[in-house]
Amino acid sequence: MEPRETFAPTVGELGESGVLARVLAQLSEASAVELGPGDDCAVLRHEGDIVVTTDTMIEGPDFRLAWHDGFELGWKLAATNLSDVAAMGARPTALTVALAVPLDTPVHLLERIAEGLDAACRALAPGCGVVGGDLGRAPVVTAAVTALGDLEGRAPVLRSGARAGDVVAYAGELGLAGLGLSLLFAEGLASDGTASADAVPGLWAAHPEVLAAQLAPAPPIPLGIAAAQGGATAMMDVSDALSIDSERLARASDVQIGFSSALLERGFGEQSGVVVPVEAMLHGGEDHGLLATFPADVALPAGFRPIGTVVEAPKSGSSVGAEPVAAHMDTGQGAGILSLDGTALVSRGWDPYIVQYPGTA
């Protein structure tokens, strides 16, 4: 008989203390830590005001284990939160992670998630690390990550500071993640419509750029501080789609945003050898890049590319293109707030309560 260790123990077999020991063994210490995992709370050092954000990912609506391995899932959990911290102009310092899983989940999956979390922190935000969290039981794999960041004496960059005449700019990948998700829904489903792992190795081999953008995104975290220091008037992470998140920024700033297809194509029409349509750039989602606005007389920080202009919001009853603004300002779909080449643009993308996956009606 082979030793028991050659079999994959489940969390139900190993118990919380055993699982925790294995998870903690995969993690590096964060630079800001005074006291790390093992007590009731972690203790951190910070120079300035602290920014805090939380994101939840649930198996089913947010990810499919058939498409993700544990490392990729852990990486994505970190990346999606680190980008929120960066979008405030802060330096990511720490993550706390709560994981709830079914009892029959192999402990190895949690180890791989921890490895991915740690690797993403080291690669994307050196000095940041997991400082604590919680383990629990749930019908499906559920993760909640809280990220903290240090403003280091800087003022936060909010969504509400964009001004008419500002340049709209973007940093990071744009549209690739949405193409990756569309590919997975087109070729990664079994005959019964459920996610299947069978096609994933072949998709990785044929389309590594878009699969990586979707399953293990690499947002430009250091550029958040660069934008803050470079005079950004407003900034936010783009997670749900460029059009949806631009609408949010425009509403917060009481302005309109006009995109240029020529600028979008010039800056992002080809990425890593992949041709990306403007439609995918605007509505794909999950790229986790940084959308920012800058005064027109300020040089854009390296890594940011212009994609449009901030426009003064017209008074009620005036028009954008052929559409009256007053008829659209409260639709929540961007029309009258966004435009593309002077034509009103309706925002589309991810909404957790209005689920429409690629290829569905």
Side-chain angles (χ1 to χ4, degrees), residues 211-261:
L211 263 291
Q214 168 56 221
L215 300 177
I221 305 304
L223 295 188
I225 293 177
Q229 294 174 334
T233 55
M235 184 161 53
M236 67 180 296
D237 154 77
V238 173
S239 53
D240 296 332
L242 178 61
S243 60
I244 285 181
D245 290 323
S246 295
E247 179 190 351
R248 290 169 177 154
L249 187 149
R251 286 182 179 276
S253 297
D254 193 23
V255 295
Q256 295 184 350
I257 289 178
F259 293 113
S260 162
S261 58

Side-chain angles (χ1 to χ4, degrees), residues 168-174 219-224 226-227 267-268 271 289-292 294 299-307:
V168 181
Y170 183 86
E173 295 174 335
L174 184 59
I221 305 304
L223 295 188
F268 301 96
Q271 301 166 63
L290 298 175
L291 172 70
F294 297 87
L300 296 181
F304 279 90
R305 298 173 182 174
I307 58 174

Side-chain angles (χ1 to χ4, degrees), residues 275-342:
V275 175
V276 182
V278 170
E279 182 84 357
M281 299 180 209
L282 290 170
H283 308 304
E286 290 199 283
D287 291 300
H288 301 287
L290 298 175
L291 172 70
T293 58
F294 297 87
D297 59 353
V298 168
L300 296 181
F304 279 90
R305 298 173 182 174
I307 58 174
T309 306
V310 177
V311 180
E312 185 177 0
K315 298 186 184 299
S316 179
S318 58
S319 63
V320 173
E323 298 293 327
V325 172
H328 293 290
M329 284 298 287
D330 295 321
T331 65
Q333 295 182 312
I337 296 175
L338 305 178
S339 65
L340 177 65
D341 299 332

Side-chain angles (χ1 to χ4, degrees), residues 122-183:
R122 287 187 284 110
L124 302 176
C128 183
V130 178
V131 300
D134 189 33
L135 295 173
R137 177 178 176 181
V140 296
V141 176
T142 303
V145 178
T146 296
L148 294 90
D150 190 346
L151 285 166
E152 302 172 321
R154 292 180 297 275
V157 184
L158 309 180
R159 300 179 181 186
S160 55
R163 299 169 299 200
D166 283 353
V167 173
V168 181
Y170 183 86
E173 295 174 335
L174 184 59
L176 288 178
L179 293 178
L181 186 61
S182 293
L183 183 66

